[in-house]
Amino acid sequence: MTVRGPARRGVLTAAAAGVAAVAATAPTARAAQAEKPGTVWATSWSTAQTAPTATDTVASAGLTDGVFTATVRLSAGGRVRLRYGHAFGAVPVLIGPVTAGGRAVTFGGRRQTWLAAGASLTSDPVDGLSVPDGSALTVETRLPGPTGPLSFHRNTHASHSVDGVRTTSVFLLTGVEVTGARGPAVAVLGDSLTEGVGTPDDADLRWPDQLARWLPGSAVANLGVSGNRLLLDDARFGPGGQARFDRDVLALPGLRTVLVQLGVNDLQQPPAQTDASLVLDGFRQLVLRARSAKLRIIGATITPFEGWIRWTPELDEVRQRVNRAVRTGHLFDEVADFDSALRDPDRPSRMRPALDSGDGLHPNPSGHAALAGAVDRRHLL
């Protein structure tokens, strides 16, 4: 792997881009099969992107002739196609060759193509590949580069690699779409609780994983980002829930339901939001946009976090005001009461100790199971 340092960053010259474009647009001998009319795709695995910071060394430096290998756990099965994104890119990136499950992936019949800065890219259906529900799919992506800084997801709580070196980050790959979803197609817009903090890597014990296993054939897209807020953007944790809703949720194919699990970081991260009405206004905007897209929207109550380093009784009162409105205000189509699922009945401002990962904020695998159980599966069908 050749890492391209900050001093060498820059756009491709016109001549270099032209030569590479000729190579990328030459079709393969076997062109992609035409898509059948009426084919329904749903997102079986997904992740949300952020921009790299200086501490994200591989993503910020980029790759030259690097190979990124991701092994992702699908929810629903069926025929497969891939989706790439470069939401925070400044220059286009040459993608390919790519394989999925050991089979060649094409883009309009070509083994290589350009992913434009700020854009997304969907592959052809992968010829000869059909996978079962719950399977692990390995995707190998060559990036001829130099790429410049890469849009990525920092921590998927699963093992991937860059040129054989382990990483838990995912670079450019944003989704695996399938044709075989028989159950609900759900997107979860969340923070670290959705991303899976508190569960071990490579265990697939995040609450969306556990929910998918309880709903065979369902397509569950995990769009959790650690540190993510509803109202404010953050240089490290990315655009807030309102800012990323259109790209991360509404752009997904075949979606029927979105579940929103956000709000605790608005309270506990500086600057702390102490006006419950502003949090509720943020939720209302997501509800309006979801309904305009003809989606059902489920809201999760904010979980207890006494024991976390920034908890205060004042912030807990704000949390309680938000939760009361979510439960009784008919704001969302349905409610997933995550607060009730985790809270200690003897001390409702904190999690039950048996469900706490140890930091007061993030649940352990049993706590994640409790969150999955708090989602009424009838509301997803």
Side-chain angles (χ1 to χ4, degrees):
M1 174 182 67
T2 302
V3 177
R4 184 169 180 256
R8 297 177 57 200
R9 292 178 191 163
V11 298
L12 293 171
T13 66
V19 171
V22 170
T25 56
T28 58
R30 182 174 185 176
Q33 297 177 353
E35 185 65 47
K36 294 180 180 179
T39 301
V40 177
W41 293 91
T43 302
S44 184
W45 173 90
S46 188
T47 195
Q49 293 186 328
T50 58
T53 66
T55 60
D56 302 306
T57 54
V58 174
S60 61
L63 302 176
T64 296
D65 198 26
V67 176
F68 167 61
T69 303
T71 299
V72 301
R73 179 68 62 184
L74 305 183
S75 45
R79 296 175 64 210
V80 169
R81 70 184 186 186
L82 308 181
R83 187 176 68 252
Y84 290 84
H86 201 12
F88 302 93
V91 298
V93 175
L94 184 59
I95 301 282
V98 176
T99 63
R103 296 182 176 270
V105 177
T106 59
F107 304 85
R110 299 167 179 86
R111 292 300 311 277
Q112 284 188 318
T113 194
W114 287 97
L115 170 58
S120 63
L121 173 69
T122 302
S123 79
D124 303 323
V126 181
D127 191 28
L129 180 62
S130 183
V131 297
D133 296 348
S135 59
L137 179 69
T138 298
V139 178
E140 184 176 282
T141 305
R142 180 170 292 278
L143 300 173
T147 63
L150 295 169
S151 305
F152 82 129
H153 185 96
R154 187 169 287 110
N155 190 358
T156 62
H157 297 274
S159 294
H160 316 294
S161 67
V162 176
D163 286 349
V165 179
R166 183 184 180 273
T167 178
T168 58
S169 297
V170 168
F171 306 92
L172 299 181
L173 182 67
T174 59
V176 177
E177 298 168 1
V178 300
T179 58
R182 308 178 306 283
V186 184
V188 184
L189 186 74
D191 52 36
S192 57
L193 275 72
T194 293
E195 189 189 61
V197 175
T199 67
D201 289 350
D202 301 314
D204 301 316
L205 291 174
R206 296 159 294 197
W207 71 263
D209 297 327
Q210 300 196 51
L211 179 65
R213 286 196 290 272
W214 293 346
L215 290 165
S218 61
V220 179
N222 185 329
L223 302 170
V225 177
S226 282
N228 203 228
R229 298 168 71 127
L230 171 68
L231 301 177
L232 297 181
D233 300 346
D234 185 273
R236 178 167 175 78
F237 302 127
Q242 291 185 103
R244 66 187 181 99
F245 190 75
D246 290 19
R247 179 183 69 246
D248 288 351
V249 175
L250 298 187
L252 299 183
L255 190 63
R256 293 194 299 193
T257 303
V258 54
L259 191 153
V260 177
Q261 179 274 304
L262 288 170
V264 69
N265 291 323
D266 293 82
L267 306 186
Q268 66 90 16
Q269 285 180 3
Q273 179 54 255
T274 58
D275 187 341
S277 67
L278 294 181
V279 177
L280 293 168
D281 284 345
F283 284 151
R284 288 189 184 95
Q285 286 301 309
L286 298 187
V287 170
L288 287 171
R289 287 151 73 186
R291 289 176 176 165
S292 294
K294 303 187 185 310
L295 299 178
R296 179 189 290 116
I297 183 165
I298 300 172
T301 51
I302 301 175
T303 53
F305 63 101
E306 183 181 355
W308 180 246
I309 53 175
R310 287 188 287 270
W311 181 88
T312 67
E314 293 75 20
L315 291 178
D316 195 67
E317 178 53 36
V318 178
R319 183 182 72 88
Q320 297 284 9
R321 288 200 296 272
V322 171
N323 285 350
R324 283 194 292 270
V326 167
R327 289 188 184 104
T328 64
H330 305 290
L331 175 61
F332 294 96
D333 296 326
E334 306 291 348
V335 175
D337 201 342
F338 282 9
D339 172 38
S340 295
L342 293 186
R343 70 189 179 200
D344 185 340
D346 297 323
R347 192 165 181 168
S349 56
R350 71 175 185 184
M351 267 188 278
R352 295 202 300 276
L355 303 181
D356 190 348
S357 68
D359 64 10
L361 178 62
H362 301 103
N364 61 24
S366 295
H368 278 261
L371 294 180
V375 181
D376 190 329
R377 283 160 270 179
R378 295 171 299 178
H379 297 159
L380 302 177
L381 300 175

